[in-house]
Amino acid sequence: MVVRLRLQRFGRTHSPFYRMVAADSRAPRDGKFLEIIGTYNPIANSAGIKEIRLKADRIRYWISVGAQPSERVAWILGKFGILPPPPQRFSVQRMIPKKNREEED
């Protein structure tokens, strides 16, 4: 059984709220899970803060027994120093317009 750390979506249309869970990789996204390990609210409050609550000790336990974080969970855990930050998926060179790029030999 491969365990994944992933996000379960809750909330209304256009107003998402996520639980971070440890779940069997074969289970559906919003289906059965093993343990709730945190929450994530991507909608900023009036102070402009996005709320994230993590159970760091339980996350470290699941990673130590071989759980694999999803791409977004790995990004969140990298921001909080629980995991090393994942490599960036974009090229800085592609952000520069073609006419301004310097040719590499």
Side-chain angles (χ1 to χ4, degrees), residues 35-92:
E35 182 180 4
I36 298 173
I37 55 175
T39 61
Y40 171 49
N41 186 0
I43 307 297
N45 61 14
S46 59
I49 299 171
K50 297 180 180 182
E51 184 179 344
I52 298 177
R53 295 178 185 213
L54 302 173
K55 296 179 183 176
D57 58 330
R58 296 305 296 166
I59 292 170
R60 287 189 182 96
Y61 164 76
W62 281 110
I63 291 172
S64 71
V65 295
Q68 301 170 349
S70 67
E71 197 170 306
R72 196 64 182 168
V73 170
W75 179 81
I76 292 170
L77 298 179
K79 287 284 187 187
F80 286 91
I82 296 173
L83 285 179
Q88 292 183 344
R89 298 183 315 174
F90 58 88
S91 171
V92 177

Side-chain angles (χ1 to χ4, degrees), residues 3-17:
V3 176
R4 300 279 307 206
L5 304 180
R6 63 182 178 205
L7 298 173
Q8 272 189 341
R9 191 180 194 282
F10 287 89
R12 299 187 321 245
T13 306
H14 306 298
S15 182
F17 179 82

